[in-house]
Amino acid sequence: MTDITAVDAWEVLDSRGNPTVRVRVDAGDATGQFTVPAGASTGAHEAVERRDGGDRYGGRGVREACAAVRDDLAPVVVGWSVTDQVGVDEALVDCDGTENLSTLGANAVLGVSGAVAHAAADATDRPLYDVLAPDSGPGAMPMPMINVLSGGLHAAADLPIQDFLAVPVGADTYPEALETVWEVRRAAGARIGSGEHPPPVADEGGFIPPVADADAAFELLVDAIRDAGYDPGREVAIAVDVAATHFYDADRDRYDLAGETLDRAAMIDRVVEWVDAYPVRSVEDPLAEDDWTGWERLADRIGDRVQLLGDDLLATNAGRLDRAVDAGAANAALIKPNQAGTITRTRRVVDAAQAADWAPVVSARSGETCDATIADLAVGLDAGQIKIGSLARSERLAKYNRLLGIDRAYDGDFAGCDALAPW
Ligand SMILES: O=C(O)[C@@H](CO)OP(=O)(O)O
Ligand SMILES: [Mg+2]
């Protein structure tokens, strides 16, 4: 029996203590739950979650999204087979009636879509990564890029750059990748904190360094890599999420970077300087979400030697990915299911990225719960890379630990550093 018999939704709290949507789908005795994450540095082109106007942060909107699941979406999907993810997802999108899911809310739609996938796994007695995989089967264990230092909108700090991450490019297995970055993280913490006062941490558990300057943060991370006994670049490389949209001033067409005002050309030069000066292998959102000219120019300069990863630029949206591929504006796509709005849309963006020979990087949001679905998604879709946050917060560890379980249960290869663009 795989037909959906009941759908319920209720409000739970995420890692920032903000409300979010949890959905439960039953198919007879089988059941699945999914909890929707939420971003802080959200892009303008993401599917639209229902959150505004709350009596506390987002509260009323989230309750409305839960009511939309129960009152609008449940009647549409009850009776549908949980194994028909594509059919269910199309019915959910049709019910909303808008491209960006703004009628019922992307958090309502994705909640049901994700819970259906979990219910399908339970109903068919298969692991979720296998249910999400194509007919050819699941893929490799992903290479993680792991947050060590945080700034931007995720930290109450002066550092404007959002994430400085370690990529354990020398690791041969997924467990070794975690162990490597754990050592780097400990070394970074020892440099920032003192014995009595541990370093402050940001939304994703990365340390907030006492610096405002990007170069100082890069240097700190390089030193931490060395302190931990690794060769920067060869064994542990750096990834950075500049999250430039939040310090771009559209009225003046300028980037306001820690007290400096940079025009497009100067911002591009700055990113190239970072890539030249430090062992950077991946740069996410170095320019604002609609600065297509800037992205194309930067890709011309460094796209053949560094992974240029679009997050706000692409917003896990098939149309924006097509445009970016045609323009040669990047070479990798961040994949966030709640930007897309359904599991099927997410899968299609991953497929399109892979077809264009771009690297997909499955990503958590800064507001998360212990839902670990993205771990299964990364393996099932053979994304090759995953970005979850730091190694010291339970909502992040739920996913890292799920991957350790998958690694134990499933004899897949480790994607390793070959997963990073450009190839
Ligand atoms: O920008 C990002 O890549 C994410 C995760 O780090 O942040 P947020 O969920 O706040 O958009
Ligand atoms: Mg980002």
Side-chain angles (χ1 to χ4, degrees):
M1 158 82 171
T2 62
D3 289 353
I4 296 172
T5 46
V7 180
D8 194 10
W10 61 97
E11 183 189 38
V12 297
L13 300 182
D14 73 12
S15 52
R16 279 191 277 255
N18 295 329
T20 191
V21 177
R22 176 167 293 172
V23 175
R24 173 182 166 132
V25 166
D26 293 331
D29 291 340
T31 190
Q33 287 192 26
F34 175 76
T35 310
V36 182
S41 65
T42 48
H45 305 289
E46 301 188 11
V48 177
E49 63 169 4
R50 206 145 160 186
R51 171 171 292 280
D52 301 317
D55 41 15
R56 57 192 162 114
Y57 179 47
R60 190 194 311 156
V62 169
R63 279 194 291 276
E64 286 167 359
C66 293
V69 170
R70 295 188 299 263
D71 301 341
D72 299 292
L73 297 174
V76 170
V77 300
V78 166
W80 214 289
S81 170
V82 280
T83 60
D84 183 7
Q85 184 83 49
V86 174
V88 171
D89 285 350
E90 280 169 4
L92 293 171
V93 171
D94 282 351
C95 179
D96 178 88
T98 63
E99 187 52 34
N100 63 8
L101 308 179
S102 53
T103 311
L104 301 177
N107 41 355
V109 173
L110 180 66
V112 179
S113 179
V116 164
H118 280 275
D122 193 27
T124 57
D125 205 17
R126 291 158 65 202
L128 182 61
Y129 59 83
D130 201 32
V131 166
L132 294 170
D135 292 343
S136 53
M141 293 299 299
M143 167 63 90
M145 55 169 76
I146 303 182
N147 187 313
V148 179
L149 305 177
S150 290
L153 297 181
H154 293 174
D158 299 329
L159 181 66
I161 311 295
Q162 184 173 287
D163 301 329
F164 292 82
L165 310 101
V167 192
V169 289
D172 292 325
T173 65
Y174 171 74
E176 190 185 325
L178 290 194
E179 195 176 322
T180 301
V181 178
W182 186 85
E183 287 168 344
V184 173
R185 174 187 162 83
R186 185 173 59 168
R191 280 188 170 264
I192 299 169
S194 67
E196 285 176 24
H197 300 288
V201 295
D203 283 358
E204 298 191 22
F207 295 133
I208 303 174
V211 298
D213 176 45
D215 286 283
F218 277 119
E219 278 157 22
L220 202 162
L221 184 49
V222 170
D223 288 342
I225 292 168
R226 281 209 189 90
D227 289 351
Y230 295 104
D231 184 353
R234 201 174 57 79
E235 293 175 306
V236 180
I238 293 178
V240 61
D241 181 0
V242 182
T245 303
H246 84 90
F247 58 82
Y248 172 68
D249 180 343
D251 294 336
R252 290 158 53 240
D253 193 23
R254 291 286 184 275
Y255 290 87
D256 292 316
L257 185 64
E260 284 182 277
T261 299
L262 305 179
D263 65 11
R264 175 170 297 101
M267 185 67 209
I268 290 171
D269 286 345
R270 185 61 56 87
V271 174
V272 175
E273 282 162 28
W274 292 334
V275 169
D276 287 341
Y278 307 105
V280 173
R281 278 290 304 271
S282 179
V283 181
E284 179 181 334
D285 282 359
L287 295 152
E289 60 196 346
D290 289 310
D291 189 353
W292 290 93
T293 314
W295 276 89
E296 286 169 40
R297 284 187 196 156
L298 184 64
D300 279 346
R301 288 185 57 186
I302 56 171
D304 59 348
R305 61 190 167 104
V306 88
Q307 176 166 276
L308 269 184
L309 179 55
D311 173 10
D312 291 351
L313 175 79
L314 306 174
T316 320
N317 176 291
R320 290 183 72 85
L321 179 74
D322 282 351
R323 178 176 171 186
V325 168
D326 285 347
N331 58 24
L334 206 73
I335 304 293
K336 292 170 167 169
N338 81 323
Q339 289 181 327
T342 66
I343 295 291
T344 302
R345 281 184 174 184
T346 306
R347 180 187 281 142
R348 286 183 178 149
V349 176
V350 172
D351 288 348
Q354 286 166 334
D357 216 17
W358 281 32
V361 182
V362 171
S363 174
R365 301 305 307 244
S366 50
E368 278 286 343
T369 64
C370 288
D371 186 295
T373 305
I374 59 163
D376 290 78
L377 197 68
V379 176
L381 302 185
D382 196 21
Q385 294 178 74
I386 195 162
K387 177 189 174 199
I388 298 172
S390 85
L391 288 173
R393 284 181 58 129
S394 299
E395 79 280 5
R396 316 281 146 193
L397 292 171
K399 293 135 180 89
Y400 288 116
N401 289 343
R402 169 65 183 157
L403 283 167
L404 285 169
I406 296 175
D407 189 55
R408 177 115 178 107
Y410 156 65
D411 192 21
D413 293 334
F414 176 50
C417 63
D418 293 344
L420 273 76
W423 288 275

